[in-house]
Amino acid sequence: MLIQYFKDDATAFNAAKKGTINGKGVINNKISSTIFKFLEGRGIKTHFVDLLSDREMLVKHVKIFPLEVVIRNITAGSVCKRLGLDEGVVLEKPLTEFFYKSDSLNDPLVNRDHIIAFDWATPEEFQYMWKEALRVNEALKEFWKEKGVKLVDFKLEFGRDLEGNLVLADEVSPDTCRLWDAKTNQKLDKDRFRFDLGAVEESYKNLMERVAQ
Ligand code: TMP
Ligand code: ASP
């Protein structure tokens, strides 16, 4: 097993922007742990084992696929830039995108054929990640709705553990999800840091308080 340590360091735009969000590590560890436990309760296998301390999570050792799986419920971020779309359009069905994890290439968007052709995952592994990400979306939409938050989009990473099981890994936190207040559409996630919107720490704290309720 491994210990995953949550820092306050923040990066954006492939680390072109660097900073610190005070208390973020503690908040992301708590929110991520709560979400992993919630997802396990919904039958989704994760790398989560235990919350060890404020900044430490005990996790299974997994080999991560070099892929980021993004699900979008509302348009925002890179899809708007790439396709010239307005932000905030509610999608009729969740939109799934895969990105190849490569800093030097700036994490390009890839499709199923690329993933299989270049052996980043097998067809079965691709199918699992795709279906599982949509199951995670249904569970998480409900989780956040109860807390008065809209799940706009999020990024997942999957891996294979030492017993050969495919599991959800990494973290699920305000760093990896876009989360808007359900009433006001106020952004409560890392976009506040990415785009210098202010009240970054307050927004992370706000989410943590809603999760702790
Ligand atoms: P995007 O709109 O920039 O493609 O981001 C989609 C979602 O993925 C958003 O919730 C932020 C999250 N994300 C990460 O967690 N890590 C990343 O490196 C990127 C680019 C996005
Ligand atoms: N954390 C990523 C980076 O270092 C991107 C992001 O979350 O915006 O660029």
Side-chain angles (χ1 to χ4, degrees):
M1 278 190 275
L2 295 173
I3 293 174
Q4 180 165 314
Y5 188 86
F6 288 76
K7 300 190 285 188
D8 289 350
D9 301 355
T11 60
F13 313 116
N14 205 9
K17 181 181 170 86
K18 291 194 180 86
T20 303
I21 303 174
N22 291 316
K24 171 171 89 82
V26 176
I27 292 173
N28 281 0
N29 189 19
K30 187 87 189 85
I31 292 180
S32 244
S33 295
T34 305
I35 288 179
F36 280 137
K37 277 188 241 172
F38 171 80
L39 292 175
E40 288 276 355
R42 294 299 178 95
I44 288 154
K45 287 200 210 89
T46 79
H47 72 159
F48 177 80
V49 179
D50 206 1
L51 177 67
L52 288 184
S53 71
D54 267 3
R55 290 178 185 274
E56 292 170 319
M57 185 195 285
L58 188 65
V59 296
K60 285 186 194 157
H61 191 165
V62 302
K63 187 161 183 275
I64 300 269
F65 293 98
L67 297 165
E68 298 192 339
V69 188
V70 168
I71 301 269
R72 303 180 190 275
N73 297 306
I74 299 175
T75 59
S78 72
V79 74
C80 293
K81 216 170 162 194
R82 195 181 329 121
L83 302 176
L85 306 171
D86 288 335
E87 181 182 85
V89 178
V90 177
L91 297 163
E92 220 168 281
K93 282 201 312 188
L95 177 69
T96 315
E97 294 177 335
F98 284 76
F99 296 88
Y100 175 53
K101 275 167 60 136
S102 162
D103 286 343
S104 59
L105 299 175
N106 225 339
D107 298 350
L109 178 73
V110 292
N111 69 21
R112 182 180 181 275
D113 278 3
H114 295 110
I115 292 169
I116 291 159
F118 304 117
D119 275 333
W120 297 325
T122 65
E124 294 72 28
E125 289 165 342
F126 172 84
Q127 185 73 6
Y128 179 90
M129 288 188 267
W130 182 46
K131 290 269 179 216
E132 196 73 344
L134 289 170
R135 287 218 298 149
V136 170
N137 185 42
E138 290 313 310
L140 283 188
K141 269 199 294 193
E142 212 182 289
F143 176 90
W144 284 113
K145 191 176 177 190
E146 226 172 74
K147 296 164 192 336
V149 172
K150 282 186 203 171
L151 179 63
V152 174
D153 61 30
F154 59 93
K155 182 266 302 181
L156 301 178
E157 295 188 29
F158 290 89
R160 202 179 267 287
D161 70 15
L162 298 177
E163 283 111 54
N165 302 307
L166 291 170
V167 298
L168 176 63
D170 194 49
E171 65 177 306
V172 182
S173 73
D175 275 11
T176 64
C177 305
R178 287 198 171 90
L179 301 162
W180 295 355
D181 180 87
K183 286 205 189 94
T184 64
N185 276 348
Q186 191 188 335
K187 294 175 176 157
L188 297 169
D189 56 77
K190 194 176 166 191
D191 269 355
R192 301 208 72 85
F193 167 80
R194 292 191 187 98
F195 301 106
D196 297 318
L197 302 178
V200 184
E201 277 90 359
E202 289 85 338
S203 300
Y204 275 69
K205 241 178 110 193
N206 178 319
L207 286 171
M208 160 107 143
E209 281 160 9
R210 296 194 202 206
V211 167
Q213 269 170 25

